[in-house]
Amino acid sequence: MNLETNITKRLMINKLILLIIIIAFVNMFSFLFGTENTLTGVTVITGALMFKDIDLGYNVKESVFITIGLFTFIGIVTYLTSQVGILLGILIDLISVFMVIYITSENLQTKVFLPFILLYVFLDGTPIDETQAIMRVVASFIGGVIMALTLYISHYKKQISKKSIKEDLCKENIDFSSERFRFAVKMAIGISIAILIGRVLNTQKAMWITIAVMSLTQPQHEDSKQRMKERLISTILGAIAFVILFKVLVPEKYFTFVTLSLGYIYTFIYEYKIKMFFVAINALVASMFIFNTPTSIALRIGFLTIGICVVYIISKGEEVISKIKDKEQSAIFE
């Protein structure tokens, strides 16, 4: 298991404090903006923690406006797509997801795009009615402000990149064959298809499909394949552990304590397959109040399988197209 190395008493205390801060922040955000925006709070604290160490790859002042603008945009567009027809909604999703990913993946290795696309997936999977729309946009805007402030405070003195967003997005600098462009296309297609499937199924937790697609889509096909295998195995093992812990061993009155303990252990883990084991348990715990255990497990594994199929087909398609292009180029030079 790939755990945090050199675990000390100080580190354990720091991790505990961090967990308390995260829980307090998410609960406060939920209190201020409503439970329908709880996942926005989760995204904001996740993004803020990332922005302490990495930036968007543009100059800091522009990055502030990009962060606030994209968060606000996502709050608006995810509501609008739920109000239009399915086909128009998917078209908007396709364009919007591509734009969000491409703008925020100037450096793919940092994965700074994650909080932005996570917000898109969370908000799309948490539909609201007309009376909640303004608060949704306000929550997204304030969330963007919090992240932007974190980015600015953390990086304005040690700014490395002075790249301009205008320069980056000008036609001459967009490489349609680049890994960045291809990744944005794959993510846009995959998430849009996952959203479409979720809307057609029209059931709670269909967002699990979109989350799976988001997590499994990687720039390289081999990396996606590895994640597919690891996530499926980890989810099955997590489901077994969930049954043993919460249906056999632990009395209901201790559920909260055990869940928090698992969340604390999770903060020390960095290996993807182990993280997904804990994620599966947490997701099933959260679904206990909606479905019975067999239904929750069946949906978790079933929706993951659908997500795997979507990602595999898209990644394999990219691989085939790439091989065809390579053969064509080889033929030209022969």
Side-chain angles (χ1 to χ4, degrees):
M1 187 183 295
N2 188 6
L3 292 169
E4 177 86 53
T5 57
N6 301 320
I7 295 178
T8 63
K9 184 178 179 180
R10 181 180 180 83
L11 178 64
M12 293 175 68
I13 293 173
N14 287 343
K15 292 284 188 179
L16 180 60
I17 292 173
L18 177 62
L19 182 62
I20 292 171
I21 290 173
I22 291 172
I23 293 172
F25 178 86
V26 172
N27 279 298
M28 179 60 69
F29 202 92
S30 178
F31 173 77
L32 292 174
F33 300 106
T35 55
E36 68 276 7
N37 293 307
T38 299
L39 292 178
T40 302
V42 173
T43 308
V44 171
I45 191 66
T46 300
L49 290 172
M50 288 183 69
F51 276 3
K52 284 179 60 183
D53 302 312
I54 58 178
D55 60 27
L56 282 176
Y58 306 108
N59 76 65
V60 173
K61 289 183 179 180
E62 285 192 11
S63 295
V64 166
F65 291 104
I66 292 169
T67 301
I68 297 172
L70 284 180
F71 256 60
T72 307
F73 168 77
I74 292 169
I76 295 171
V77 78
T78 50
Y79 170 70
L80 290 178
T81 55
S82 67
Q83 303 302 304
V84 299
I86 289 182
L87 293 180
L88 179 57
I90 294 305
L91 178 61
I92 295 172
D93 285 325
L94 188 66
I95 296 170
S96 300
V97 172
F98 173 82
M99 184 182 73
V100 169
I101 292 291
Y102 191 82
I103 290 174
T104 57
S105 59
E106 194 279 331
N107 186 344
L108 267 177
Q109 282 63 46
T110 65
K111 297 188 176 181
V112 73
F113 59 84
L114 281 175
F116 297 92
I117 196 59
L118 189 63
L119 181 69
Y120 201 102
V121 170
F122 279 165
L123 295 192
D124 179 84
T126 314
I128 54 174
D129 58 40
E130 187 177 347
T131 62
Q132 300 168 316
I134 293 178
M135 188 58 75
R136 168 64 57 88
V137 176
V138 171
S140 300
F141 171 77
I142 297 299
V145 170
I146 294 171
M147 284 182 55
L149 285 174
T150 305
L151 186 151
Y152 185 78
I153 293 170
S154 300
H155 299 283
Y156 81 101
K157 286 185 178 180
K158 53 181 180 180
Q159 176 171 281
I160 298 175
S161 175
K162 295 184 178 180
K163 191 173 186 178
S164 167
I165 181 72
K166 183 178 179 180
E167 173 192 346
D168 184 58
L169 297 182
C170 72
K171 187 177 180 180
E172 293 76 13
N173 289 333
I174 296 178
D175 182 357
F176 296 99
S177 63
S178 67
E179 186 176 65
R180 175 186 180 185
F181 188 89
R182 289 185 285 108
F183 177 70
V185 170
K186 285 194 298 183
M187 191 72 89
I189 294 172
I191 287 179
S192 297
I193 291 174
I195 289 173
L196 175 61
I197 294 171
R199 288 175 183 166
V200 171
L201 292 176
N202 192 28
T203 182
Q204 294 190 66
K205 297 299 181 181
M207 179 172 59
W208 283 347
I209 303 172
T210 321
I211 291 174
V213 170
M214 178 194 70
S215 174
L216 297 174
T217 302
Q218 299 296 305
Q220 298 300 321
H221 178 60
E222 290 303 316
D223 293 335
S224 291
K225 282 172 59 179
Q226 182 65 24
R227 282 202 169 200
M228 291 174 205
K229 180 176 68 175
E230 290 180 351
R231 183 148 190 159
L232 183 58
I233 293 172
S234 297
T235 298
I236 293 171
L237 293 177
I240 294 171
F242 166 77
V243 172
I244 293 172
L245 280 174
F246 293 93
K247 296 300 175 180
V248 179
L249 297 179
V250 180
E252 188 173 348
K253 62 181 178 180
Y254 297 120
F255 280 5
T256 301
F257 173 76
V258 173
T259 302
L260 291 174
S261 298
L262 291 173
Y264 178 61
I265 296 171
Y266 178 85
T267 63
F268 291 91
I269 298 170
Y270 289 92
E271 190 172 353
Y272 180 77
K273 60 185 177 182
I274 307 300
K275 288 169 75 75
M276 292 306 102
F277 171 81
F278 283 88
V279 166
I281 296 174
N282 182 65
L284 292 171
V285 170
S287 68
M288 282 194 301
F289 305 102
I290 304 174
F291 308 110
N292 58 41
T293 299
T295 302
S296 294
I297 293 174
L299 288 177
R300 186 70 185 179
I301 296 175
F303 286 164
L304 172 59
T305 303
I306 293 173
I308 288 174
C309 291
V310 170
V311 174
Y312 182 82
I313 292 170
I314 293 172
S315 296
K316 196 64 178 178
E318 182 202 22
E319 191 177 48
V320 170
I321 292 171
S322 179
K323 287 180 179 178
I324 292 173
K325 286 183 177 179
D326 289 342
K327 286 182 179 179
E328 289 176 349
Q329 289 179 349
S330 297
I332 292 173
F333 292 104
E334 285 180 355

